[in-house]
Each structure stands twice: as C-alpha cells, then as structure tokens.
C-alpha cells in the first residue's frame, strides 16, 4: 500500500495555485475571476491559460507550463516518487507513471488563430512522440454571441489548403464551421481537425499531453514559421490537417451539454474515452460517490464538501485540486458541481 507515503496521500487536501505561462495571445482575466485570485501588478494580459496538473511544457515561448506543488516540488518528480499512489496499479502498468492528460483553463481575450493538432499516428511517425493531440472544450463562461470553429465545411484539396495558408487572410476562418456556444456546452475536437476559439469564452480544456500545434494562421500573431509548422517541412506539416468536410451530422456527434448531467456522468461524447474522461459530479438528490481515480478536479459551480479516505474538505467554485488514486472513492455533497478530469480508463 502506498497511501501512507509522501506526496500522493497529502495531495488529496492540497489545492493547486494558478499556473499561467505567458502565451502569444491575450487573455487571463476570466481565469483569475474564476479562480478568485487578484491579478498581480505584473499581470500583462497575456496569461490566458492555467495549466492544471501539468507535466507538459510549451513547445516554444519559453518552455514553461509544468505544475509545481506547494513546497516547490515539480509534479513530474512527485509522480515519479509515488506513481502507484497517484495513478493506481492498472494505470501504471498500462500508461506508466504519467497522467497521460493535460488539463487547462483557457480564457480567450481575443480570437485564437486557426490551428490544428497532429494525430497519434502522425506524432509517432514524424515527431518522435506517442501522443498527438485530441482535445475537448468544456465551456464554463461565454459572452453573448461567443463562437468556436471546427473543421472545414467543404473538402479542401491539398493545393487549396496550401494556398489559404499562404494567403494568411480571413478566408481560412471562413472555410471552417462556426459553432455558437454558451456555458454548459462541450465540444470534442479530434486530432487533425482545424479549429479556432472565438473571443470571450472561459473553457476547461482536456488534451493529450503535448503542445504540438500546426498554426495555419500565424502571421497575425507574429509566430515564427518553425514554431507554426513544428519544425517540419510545411507540406509535411499540412498533411497532419484533416482536409474535410466536417459535416453537420458529424459535428452533432462531437457536441454535448455537460450542464444537463445530474448525479454523475460524462461531460463528453463516448468517443473521447480513448483519450481522456471528464466526469461531471453534481449532487441533486443526495450525496454522490464516484470510484477512485487520479483526477484533476475543477469545481465549476456552488460549494460543498469532498470526502475521501484522507478526510473531508470544503470546496467552492474556482477550486482546483489533484486527487490521487490512493484517496479511494470520492463522495461529493452540497449544492456544488465539479468536473473530474481523468486519463483514459486503463
Ligand atoms: Zn487546439
């Protein structure tokens, strides 16, 4: 048994502080609001993402992003010291001592560039990595009229895509499917699908744990071409992009209303399960108990308590905590909604 050992057992009652590396696009106020944290005097408006339980680093832009626990231990070191306590035996034997997941809060202070992420197969062949990046957006806050874009509505020939990428004008965004979103929506974005997030949303984002992005739109954000194309030849990088079409029927299968879950249930379509799980826990008719699992827990509404074999703690909207597998089953009480962001089932 590892539940009396160091890091994993203590983490059950430890909240994570915001971890907001500087990015190339604006945002961050909604993250601070949600977390209930004052902006520090050096807040520069370019801290749009809070990397939660992160063992991943930025591909460029300084290489930050790894989570540091209270006391100064970097998360990869904590995981290495007690992998079975954090993740359980089944996870460790299947995936090793890593969460296989990157979770973020993301506040779009401006529209993000049109970009896509490679699939696992592409990453294995060309980027020397077992992970691609399928991602999912769980919308927590949305300004009226907020929109995201996913997939080309018509099929684009390789030359047509290359031409759009060369032109760096509005036609690239216009080629995508616009999807209006409000708080309570969720959208799964399969690897390869080009996408953009419009201004004015706070999302909880689950991703495969890499920072590989093909920045189809790069000029407007002054991104280096090497950064934009992952250091690959442009035509090879563009082969990782799904040329479409992404049909309305297919888009329907990628969407879900996480806010409709009562008791406990998935925030995402079943298709997401191969990459990550996002379980909504919302007691409506009494306490809810869910199985032991490593989880980055984000409390999205209300307040209540969270109990494990390590004790009971009060939780409220904006809290973020890492709950290790060794904490056992988790019982949630009160008028509270939380989302457990978890690796795939081993
Ligand atoms: Zn993305």
């Amino acid at each position: 048994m590892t539940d009396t050992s160091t890091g994993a057992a203590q983490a059950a009652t430890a909240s994570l502080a915001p971890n907001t590396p500087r990015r190339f696009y604006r945002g961050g106020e909604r993250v601070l609001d949600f977390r209930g944290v004052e902006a520090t005097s050096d807040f520069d408006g370019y801290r749009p993402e809070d990397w939660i339980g992160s063992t991943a680093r930025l591909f460029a832009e300084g290489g930050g992003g790894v989570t540091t626990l209270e006391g100064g231990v970097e998360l990869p070191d904590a995981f290495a010291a007690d992998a079975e306590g954090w993740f359980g035996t089944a996870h460790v034997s299947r995936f090793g001592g890593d969460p296989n997941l990157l979770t973020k809060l993301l506040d779009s202070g401006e529209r993000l560039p049109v970009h896509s992420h490679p699939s696992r197969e592409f990453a294995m062949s060309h980027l020397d990595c077992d992970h691609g990046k399928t991602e999912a957006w769980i919308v927590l806050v949305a300004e009226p009229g907020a929109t995201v874009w996913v997939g080309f509505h018509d099929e684009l020939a390789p030359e047509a895509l290359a031409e759009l990428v060369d032109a760096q004008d509005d036609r690239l965004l216009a080629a995508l499917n616009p999807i209006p979103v409000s708080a309570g929506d969720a959208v799964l974005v399969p690897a390869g699908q080009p996408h953009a997030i419009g201004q004015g949303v706070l999302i909880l984002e689950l991703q495969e744990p890499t920072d590989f992005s093909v920045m189809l739109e790069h000029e407007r954000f002054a991104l280096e071409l090497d950064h934009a194309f992952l250091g690959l030849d442009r035509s090879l990088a563009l082969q990782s992009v799904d040329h479409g079409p992404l049909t309305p029927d297919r888009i329907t299968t990628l969407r879900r209303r996480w806010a409709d879950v009562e008791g406990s249930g998935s925030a995402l379509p079943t298709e997401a399960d191969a990459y990550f799980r996002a379980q909504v826990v919302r007691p409506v008719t009494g306490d809810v108990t869910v199985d032991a699992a490593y989880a980055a827990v984000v409390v999205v509404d209300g307040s209540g308590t969270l109990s494990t074999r390590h004790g009971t703690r009060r939780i409220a909207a904006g809290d973020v905590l890492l709950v290790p597998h060794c904490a056992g089953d988790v019982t949630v009480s009160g008028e509270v909604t939380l989302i457990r962001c978890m690796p795939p089932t081993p």
Side-chain angles (χ1 to χ4, degrees), residues 173-184:
L173 186 72
L176 298 177
N177 295 292
I179 303 175
V181 289
S182 59

Side-chain angles (χ1 to χ4, degrees), residues 4-26:
T4 54
S5 65
T6 54
Q10 286 159 7
T13 54
S15 299
L16 291 181
N19 170 29
T20 55
R22 193 174 198 279
R23 302 298 325 257
F24 63 86
Y25 68 95
R26 285 197 296 275

Side-chain angles (χ1 to χ4, degrees), residues 104 106 112-113 115-117 133-137 189 193-197 205 207 212-213 215:
K104 294 177 185 173
L106 186 155
L112 272 66
H115 66 282
S116 68
H117 308 290
K133 183 140 109 170
T134 287
E135 67 184 36
W137 305 327
V189 184
Q193 290 297 342
H195 55 275
I197 296 171
E205 190 172 43
Q207 312 182 316
F212 296 141
S213 300
M215 309 305 291

Side-chain angles (χ1 to χ4, degrees), residues 258-267 278-291 330-340:
W258 65 265
D260 292 345
V261 173
E262 296 191 349
S264 70
S266 179
Q279 181 187 42
V280 181
V281 181
R282 181 157 76 101
V284 174
T285 56
D287 298 355
V288 176
T289 298
V290 289
D291 291 344
V330 174
T331 299
V332 180
S333 314
E335 285 191 29
V336 66
T337 304
L338 59 78
I339 299 179
R340 298 211 302 164

Side-chain angles (χ1 to χ4, degrees), residues 68-266:
T68 303
L69 296 174
E70 249 175 76
V73 180
E74 287 205 338
L75 198 53
D77 296 333
F79 287 160
D82 186 13
E84 297 215 342
W86 282 100
F87 302 112
T89 313
H91 176 106
V92 172
S93 48
R94 170 93 192 271
F95 303 118
D98 184 275
N100 265 264
L101 168 70
L102 176 58
T103 305
K104 294 177 185 173
L105 291 165
L106 186 155
D107 164 31
S108 53
E110 63 182 316
R111 178 179 69 75
L112 272 66
V114 176
H115 66 282
S116 68
H117 308 290
S119 65
R120 284 176 179 170
E121 295 70 28
F122 187 92
M124 277 186 239
S125 301
H126 304 292
L127 297 164
D128 193 26
C129 181
D130 291 342
H131 298 293
K133 183 140 109 170
T134 287
E135 67 184 36
W137 305 327
I138 293 171
V139 181
L140 303 180
V141 176
E143 301 297 329
T147 302
V148 298
W149 289 262
V150 183
F152 292 122
H153 43 70
D154 294 312
E155 184 173 353
L156 279 181
E159 314 77 59
L161 175 60
E163 194 190 317
L164 284 187
V165 171
D166 273 345
Q168 291 293 300
D169 60 23
D170 294 344
R171 287 178 296 158
L172 201 46
L173 186 72
L176 298 177
N177 295 292
I179 303 175
V181 289
S182 59
D185 282 340
V187 183
L188 177 67
V189 184
Q193 290 297 342
H195 55 275
I197 296 171
Q199 183 178 354
V201 294
L202 177 68
I203 63 175
L204 173 60
E205 190 172 43
L206 287 86
Q207 312 182 316
E208 291 182 78
T210 67
D211 189 41
F212 296 141
S213 300
V214 176
M215 309 305 291
L216 300 173
E217 214 178 2
H218 44 263
E219 211 165 79
R220 161 172 194 264
F221 294 84
L223 298 173
E224 306 274 339
L225 287 186
D226 238 21
H227 175 180
F229 298 123
L230 295 171
L232 302 173
D233 180 66
R234 190 190 73 158
S235 64
L236 177 58
L238 294 186
Q239 285 173 27
S240 72
V241 181
D242 191 306
H243 289 52
L246 188 72
T247 64
D249 283 353
R250 177 69 177 124
I251 291 172
T252 303
T253 69
L254 300 174
R255 303 189 63 179
R256 192 125 177 168
R257 282 289 296 173
W258 65 265
D260 292 345
V261 173
E262 296 191 349
S264 70
S266 179

Side-chain angles (χ1 to χ4, degrees), residues 3 54 99 160 278 283 308:
D3 62 333
S54 168
T308 68

